[in-house]
Amino acid sequence: QVKLVESGGGSVQAGGSLRLSCALSGYTFDTWYLGWFRQAPGKEREGVAAIYLGDRSTYYMRSLEGRFTVSHDAAKSTLYLEMRSLKPEDTAMYYCAAQKQFRFGYEWHDGRLYDYWGQGTQVAVSS
């Protein structure tokens, strides 16, 4: 059984940093996408970043301006999201997600690409 558990969220002031972790248990695939999504109150869920395990390519939401870094430690079966220079608009519930099979037509930032989801970790950035 695959289980994703996020941690590392919290409350920070604008300009601060946080590192989110997503522990993946039971996930044995080494080819597909692992992603981070977020959803703020009253807003649609959006793809923040992803890593394609097949070639370690990384993908980011354009508006991040290089402030976030996604990485994966295979030995620890953990996905990370390093967030720097945080802004109040980064406030949201952050979720990690994992793909288990090929789906044609969906890009990394489309939630329909993913099969497994964590329960989320809250990030709150104050001005």
Side-chain angles (χ1 to χ4, degrees):
Q1 182 180 0
V2 176
K3 188 174 182 182
L4 281 60
V5 179
E6 303 95 335
S7 61
S11 297
V12 297
Q13 290 191 326
S17 300
L18 283 173
R19 187 176 79 158
L20 305 185
S21 299
C22 173
L24 302 105
S25 61
Y27 186 79
T28 58
F29 304 100
D30 59 4
T31 308
W32 306 119
Y33 285 93
L34 299 176
W36 285 100
F37 288 76
R38 69 185 183 187
Q39 187 166 22
K43 293 190 175 182
E44 298 275 321
R45 182 180 63 192
E46 56 185 359
V48 175
I51 183 167
Y52 180 63
L53 298 180
D55 60 7
R56 313 296 289 179
S57 296
T58 55
Y59 304 86
Y60 297 94
M61 181 168 52
R62 290 181 182 179
S63 62
L64 291 177
E65 301 172 326
R67 298 182 296 117
F68 291 10
T69 302
V70 62
S71 61
H72 175 249
D73 186 329
K76 296 182 178 180
S77 295
T78 302
L79 178 70
Y80 299 100
L81 184 67
E82 192 80 36
M83 306 186 295
R84 301 173 297 275
S85 302
L86 283 162
K87 303 176 181 181
E89 51 264 42
D90 294 318
T91 295
M93 184 72 81
Y94 283 72
Y95 301 90
C96 62
Q99 180 192 12
K100 75 169 182 179
Q101 59 187 325
F102 176 76
R103 284 192 175 83
F104 181 76
Y106 298 120
E107 296 190 30
W108 69 267
H109 51 80
D110 191 326
R112 293 172 294 179
L113 182 65
Y114 300 88
D115 301 280
Y116 306 106
W117 293 84
Q119 83 291 345
T121 186
Q122 180 69 45
V123 171
V125 184
S126 58
S127 57

